[in-house]
Amino acid sequence: MALHAKPLQLNTADAGFEAAFAARLHWSADTDAAIEQRVADILADVQKRGDAAVLEYTQRFDGLQAPDVKALEITQAELKAALDSLPAAQREALQAAAARVRKYHEAQKKASGESWSYRDEDGTLLGQKVTPLDRVGIYVPGGKAAYPSSVLMNAIPAHVAGVQDIIMVVPTPVRGSVATGGSGEAAVSSRGERNELVLAAAYVAGVTRAFTVGGAQAVGALAYGTATIPKVDKITGPGNAYVASAKKRVFGTVGIDMIAGPSEILVLADGSTPAEWVAMDLFSQAEHDELAQSILLCPDAAYIAEVQAAIDRLLPTMPRRKIIAKSLNDRGALILTRSMEEACAISNRIAPEHLEVSSSEPHRWEPLLRHAGAIFLGAFTSESLGDYCAGPNHVLPTSGTARFSSPLGVYDFQKRSSLIEVSEAGAQPLGRIAAELAYGEGLQAHARAAELRLNPVPPMREPT
Amino acid sequence: MALHAKPLQLNTADAGFEAAFAARLHWSADTDAAIEQRVADILADVQKRGDAAVLEYTQRFDGLQAPDVKALEITQAELKAALDSLPAAQREALQAAAARVRKYHEAQKKASGESWSYRDEDGTLLGQKVTPLDRVGIYVPGGKAAYPSSVLMNAIPAHVAGVQDIIMVVPTPVRGSVATGGSGEAAVSSRGERNELVLAAAYVAGVTRAFTVGGAQAVGALAYGTATIPKVDKITGPGNAYVASAKKRVFGTVGIDMIAGPSEILVLADGSTPAEWVAMDLFSQAEHDELAQSILLCPDAAYIAEVQAAIDRLLPTMPRRKIIAKSLNDRGALILTRSMEEACAISNRIAPEHLEVSSSEPHRWEPLLRHAGAIFLGAFTSESLGDYCAGPNHVLPTSGTARFSSPLGVYDFQKRSSLIEVSEAGAQPLGRIAAELAYGEGLQAHARAAELRLNPVPPMREPT
């Protein structure tokens, strides 16, 4: 039987729309109690036994044999050699993408990541000092989801923020060994499968040190530190269920970025973009994995039919057509709306990770779009340009979390300290206000600390 | 026996310093499996039964009887009446504090929370759109930790960010009833204990709606929404172990702020500040609760003795002296350092929530201080001025998390969307770079989506 890809067709004017729409959007991260328990055990073991535990799990899960964790470190010379070994076109593309991502994040730092302060009339100084984190860990998946572009997108903002130590961990499982975090017998070797493009990206992005470890054991090593792998302040980067569970568990000991769900694209189309372009954009999300979600919102029924025809025509040409078809059949949707305005309103309900405004007048609709990880304006702005090299980060909030969270950025690798310097003159009115409120809250030491700076110092009030 | 407060005295030159210092700093949030299970059950029940579950738990835990959840809402008129009912001095202090907090957060928004963009030479637009969250929930504890200042510190940044709906929840347990989240028999009444200063603060800070519910059931109501209590995008504010556990559990469905540990102050002193001022600043932290931590770092042994003498002299005058004494005896420390430089280095290891630089040259030391929630510069800047009214937020990272996180701010109530508009000219070089990298990652649909925008469109490459 021929492969087909028929996203669910919906019409906002239909009575059953709301229910069908909600069902199609539904996704929930199942927490697997068995995985959680195993991850808790691995983390406790790494915290207790350090390097020895990391070595053992790396051998067991990745089939990688090494005399010590030091032997799992990839040197800067090896990273550079990986870059040098690339075909020229690939090397230049990587460097060009890195340069654009760096430029964008430098602008981001300038616009929203600098220290600031002001002085009151009485000389009191108020502000915030913005400083980089000291050391961060970047988790890079091995195997089929090894994306060098993700190395750039995680490491460059950290580098631009001014982070001194950027520690990358990337599993390099031995071919024929089980997946990281799995169990069972593994082929054991002293050399795992390294992805040269990933190592080259690490060199270009300014990674300081790199270790070929992965899974919960790598997250534990970064969170607690071992004799060889330094403890970091924050861990970012995507991973499988074991990695996600481990990141959640160490949150608080270290910072983490968001836990990502399946990737999504929403295309808002007015019918002015070639239908094949939109079809290919929907494919580009669907090809990630079967849970990825591609949705088209459009007020023009004839155009929706054109896009479906383009899907039918283009699907057989795609090497990853099986994944694309399953994703589009199970989770995709082509939704006919009453208007572009309604399409914008529905988009806000979805709060998509990627939002393409495939319209001849994108700036008419952009102000109506309140929630999205990234907004791609106009027909020439395919999501894939943003994924690789336009400049903005491709690590974006998924599953509707764009309602309350943001793209990965320089700000994720900085923290802020409030600065307060109260002058003697300023301490007089402020001290009276603070004391009044502190007595009201029953915190007399707070009140007295303020009052001791008053001239003259008033008598202490009795507690009420 | 007379009450005494003798913080542990340490000397960085002693052989045993490192071990004693580490032991004194140690604190860990015990996760109580029984609390976690009960919270999970309450959340599931609120998600399933909505208002009915909220009503039941409010009666059971707070002893509060109501016909429906609507009856638990506090109207704007009631909030305003609370403000009007305050003594003039208290009302004016509250309004003055709110005005200063608002001014500071407006400066913060201007400095780091505005949208920005730039155009490349080829016309490609890149930037970020910064928008407020639609709706947030603010948890305000009832009972002994009911702090109106915390209402200001949570609600004002949300209001300045532009959040339309600020929903406050505050338990009002009936006197004689059990604590929120507890169990057992409760006195049941239709009117719980309301804190007028908290309600007045809500009015001043711009809270939109308020409900007298608390505990895990309030967190659940805000995270999932009920027929009466609207679903929010983010929940901030402190609470007991039940509230903290519930916030962690709903994280991902909604955003949350950090889970706070015990409050801490670190005073870096060069001996130039009156010893009584420093002693009172240490008290002001210690009076919060017995787990609070007050530490003095100073290179002058005679000054440390003066501070201890001031502690001895002042302690009997403090109404909360029992809590202060226990906190200082169990968790406090007076540490003699070799120099101010060493004191700064130790401060960076602690990454304190509150850091007072009680020195005649605070700007000499400030650049050496890399990790702290808030830095209070100079003798007149008591922490308590910052707690109430200097302007900066008093919700700060605790337990060393200032290494990677920041004070609560306007940025916590905003989110960012990347903006990308690639021109036709820009799509040519970008498309070639993206396609090269996408083919390298084995994502052919990504490559083709970029290539379809090229002129002419190149032939599709075979997968490698």
Side-chain angles (χ1 to χ4, degrees), chain A residues 89-90 93-94 96-97 100 103-104 107-108 111-112 116 118 120-121 124-129 131 133-134 147-149 197 233 251-255 258 276-277 280-281 283-284 287-288 317-320 356 362-363 366-367 369-377 379-382 384-390 392 396 401-407 411 415-424 427 430-431 433-434 436-438 440-446 448-450 452-453 460 463, chain B residues 89-90 93-94 96-97 100 103-104 107-108 111-112 116 118-121 124-129 131 133-134 147-149 197 233 251-255 258 276-277 280-281 283-284 287-288 317-320 356 362-363 366-367 369-377 379-382 384-390 392 396 401-407 411 415-424 427 430-431 433-434 436-438 440-446 448-450 452-453 460 463:
Chain A
Q90 219 171 36
L94 194 65
R100 288 193 61 96
K103 182 182 171 192
Y104 176 85
Q108 183 179 68
S112 58
W116 57 273
Y118 63 92
D120 276 353
E121 318 75 58
T124 291
L125 172 96
L126 300 163
Q128 267 190 336
K129 161 158 122 165
T131 45
L133 306 195
D134 281 358
Y147 296 142
S149 53
L197 208 42
D233 297 311
F251 173 54
T253 301
V254 296
M258 292 290 291
E276 288 205 343
W277 297 14
M280 193 59 75
D281 293 350
F283 284 3
S284 73
E287 77 174 337
H288 274 296
T317 71
M318 303 312 301
R320 294 169 75 89
E356 280 189 10
H363 291 281
E366 185 272 313
L369 300 167
R370 289 206 316 284
H371 312 299
I375 303 175
F376 302 80
L377 298 163
F380 282 94
T381 315
S382 72
S384 65
L385 299 183
D387 287 342
Y388 289 104
C389 58
L396 299 168
T401 59
R403 293 187 67 85
F404 56 85
S405 51
S406 303
Y411 35 77
K415 29 65 177 191
R416 292 159 184 272
S417 302
S418 302
L419 289 178
I420 316 177
E421 182 180 31
V422 178
S423 65
E424 182 169 1
L430 287 183
I433 296 168
E436 184 66 39
L437 294 171
E441 291 185 352
L443 296 177
Q444 296 90 352
H446 282 69
R448 283 312 275 173
L452 289 179
R453 273 82 174 181
M460 184 165 165
Chain B
Q90 218 170 39
L94 193 65
R100 288 193 61 97
K103 182 182 171 192
Y104 175 86
Q108 184 178 70
S112 59
W116 56 273
Y118 63 92
R119 277 193 193 272
D120 276 351
E121 319 75 59
T124 291
L125 172 96
L126 300 164
Q128 268 191 334
K129 162 158 122 165
T131 45
L133 306 195
D134 281 359
Y147 295 143
S149 54
L197 209 41
D233 298 310
F251 173 54
T253 301
V254 297
M258 290 291 290
E276 288 205 344
W277 297 14
M280 193 59 76
D281 293 351
F283 284 4
S284 74
E287 77 173 338
H288 273 296
T317 71
M318 304 311 302
R320 294 169 75 90
E356 281 190 9
H363 290 281
E366 184 272 314
L369 300 166
R370 289 206 316 284
H371 312 298
I375 302 176
F376 302 80
L377 297 163
F380 282 94
T381 315
S382 72
S384 65
L385 298 183
D387 287 342
Y388 288 104
C389 57
L396 299 168
T401 59
R403 293 187 67 86
F404 56 85
S405 52
S406 302
Y411 35 77
K415 29 62 177 195
R416 293 159 184 274
S417 302
S418 303
L419 290 178
I420 315 175
E421 181 180 33
V422 178
S423 64
E424 181 169 1
L430 287 182
I433 297 168
E436 184 66 37
L437 294 171
E441 291 185 353
L443 296 176
Q444 297 89 351
H446 282 70
R448 283 312 275 172
L452 289 179
R453 273 82 174 182
M460 184 167 166

Side-chain angles (χ1 to χ4, degrees), chain B residues 170-186:
Chain B
V170 54
T172 56
V174 171
R175 196 184 287 269
S177 78
V178 293
T180 294
S183 66
E185 288 308 304

